[in-house]
Amino acid sequence: MIRAVPRLAALLLATVAVPSPSRAAPPAAEAGVKWEQTVEMQMAGFSMPARTSTVCVPSSGLAEPPSAGPEDGKCKVTDVRNDGRTMRWSMTCDGDEKMSGEGEIVQGKDGYDGKMTVRGSHGEMLMKMRGRRLGGACDAGEVKRTVAALQAQGEARTAQACREAAQAVSLPMFGGAAAPCKDPADRKLLCERAATREGVKALSVQPATVTRDLGALCGKDLATLQAGACAAAGREESGAARGGAADDLLAFIGSDCPSETRAIAQRECAGRTYTDLSTRYRSFCTAYAGDLLDKGKKPAPATPKPEDAAQEAAKKAVKGLLPW
């Protein structure tokens, strides 16, 4: 538990005693006064060294509670109550470190004292805050503008990452309650891509624990999407100009579409020698024949025995196809 305290404390100390930014556009400038603030933290008998810093407090005083965690949108201050010189509030944080707590600050003419109690998975933490007025003009809106800009940058990066994840059919960015990608447009793109050959190939290498979210996301599971993409690929292949290049199309069918593979093999491979095969299907038929032979093999017995029925069937299926 002691090792967890510094990390949890760092989360809370990240922006403490800086007014939380609202979602509205921050002011261009706000008259402020320089204050010195000191924060101490205690948890389970462990005390972190006090941290002192200089902040810019609005000239009118603190109208909002201090932030209670990193400015990443996961910590929220609620139920703010101002009673004369005393301000009280509640807070919650989601994410990897789920927390909740209450805070209180009593403001004076030239200083303030406060405390905040926070509860998380590692126990309860007490944060003590005190400040004193240093004097000197400053811009109290600068921090808000900086935080708002960082939030906007973070949201833009997340939006870009979600678009790229949808294009690449990367399900971990979308599946589950904690997934960051929630935009319906990104989900629509993901599902459209999932129904294509490229999407099915991308999904086929992702763990089953991930692809099981497909039904909830797109209304179709991987098997259904694969069947649709294979049927479309089969139609495309049957209508393709004979003699044209079809490496990608045939490679997809051969690796992901058993029914379509058998149909093409029966049509283009059966009864032909290697030299009789067209250039278009030579690699496809060779790979198909190799797969049949592999499936017909069994571990070598300790003593020689006649070839089993599976081996014989495999050889008959590819008889005349290979030159060896």
Side-chain angles (χ1 to χ4, degrees):
M1 177 181 292
I2 295 301
R3 288 195 299 272
V5 173
R7 182 185 176 203
L8 187 59
L11 289 173
L12 294 173
L13 285 169
T15 54
V16 69
V18 176
S20 301
S22 64
R23 300 305 295 170
E30 183 178 0
V33 178
K34 294 179 181 179
W35 283 58
E36 179 186 83
Q37 68 166 15
T38 300
V39 180
E40 300 177 58
M41 306 191 77
Q42 299 173 356
M43 180 178 181
F46 176 85
S47 296
M48 289 192 67
R51 192 181 81 167
T52 300
S53 58
T54 300
V55 297
C56 187
V57 175
S59 299
S60 58
L62 289 173
E64 303 175 39
S67 291
E71 295 295 349
D72 56 6
K74 295 181 180 178
C75 291
K76 298 180 180 179
V77 173
T78 60
D79 194 22
V80 180
R81 305 174 302 281
N82 284 288
D83 182 13
R85 297 185 303 150
T86 302
M87 180 191 304
R88 297 182 177 88
W89 68 91
S90 300
M91 56 79 67
T92 57
C93 288
D94 295 324
D96 294 337
E97 297 285 355
K98 296 186 182 296
M99 298 177 284
S100 64
E102 305 83 30
E104 175 184 286
I105 281 181
V106 179
Q107 301 184 66
K109 179 180 178 181
D110 295 315
Y112 66 81
D113 287 283
K115 64 180 180 179
M116 184 160 60
T117 302
V118 179
R119 291 171 292 278
S121 59
H122 299 291
E124 184 173 284
M125 178 179 291
L126 175 65
M127 176 190 296
K128 295 181 179 180
M129 301 167 282
R130 63 181 182 272
R132 66 183 182 91
R133 183 186 179 104
L134 297 177
C138 57
D139 181 4
E142 182 178 2
V143 171
K144 293 183 180 181
R145 292 195 301 274
T146 300
V147 170
L150 291 174
Q151 286 181 326
Q153 292 174 9
E155 290 170 359
R157 285 194 295 268
T158 298
Q160 178 64 26
C162 287
R163 284 191 293 270
E164 292 175 356
Q167 186 69 25
V169 198
S170 178
L171 290 183
M173 294 285 284
F174 291 86
C181 301
K182 306 294 185 184
D183 191 325
D186 291 331
R187 177 179 290 193
K188 180 181 178 183
L189 174 60
L190 171 80
C191 295
E192 289 174 350
R193 290 282 297 159
T196 66
R197 292 202 303 269
E198 295 80 3
V200 168
K201 290 184 73 67
L203 289 168
S204 65
V205 299
Q206 297 183 42
T209 53
V210 173
T211 56
R212 68 187 179 191
D213 292 326
L214 270 171
L217 286 168
C218 302
K220 295 180 180 179
D221 61 15
L222 178 55
T224 302
L225 291 170
Q226 185 175 33
C230 286
R235 290 191 297 270
E236 182 179 344
E237 194 285 326
S238 64
R242 292 295 179 260
D247 291 346
D248 292 342
L249 179 61
L250 287 173
F252 169 73
I253 292 174
S255 63
D256 292 86
C257 309
S259 296
E260 287 74 16
T261 295
R262 287 192 295 271
I264 295 173
Q266 181 65 33
R267 187 188 74 212
E268 302 292 343
C269 308
R272 292 180 173 86
T273 65
Y274 183 80
T275 55
D276 290 336
L277 295 172
S278 69
T279 303
R280 178 186 182 86
Y281 294 100
R282 190 165 288 172
S283 295
F284 176 87
C285 291
T286 302
Y288 179 72
D291 287 343
L292 285 180
L293 288 174
D294 287 340
K295 291 176 182 177
K297 289 180 180 178
K298 286 189 175 182
T303 57
K305 291 184 179 180
E307 295 176 329
D308 60 25
Q311 287 178 303
E312 189 63 27
K315 287 190 174 182
K316 287 181 179 179
V318 297
K319 183 177 181 181
L321 174 59
L322 301 177
W324 58 82

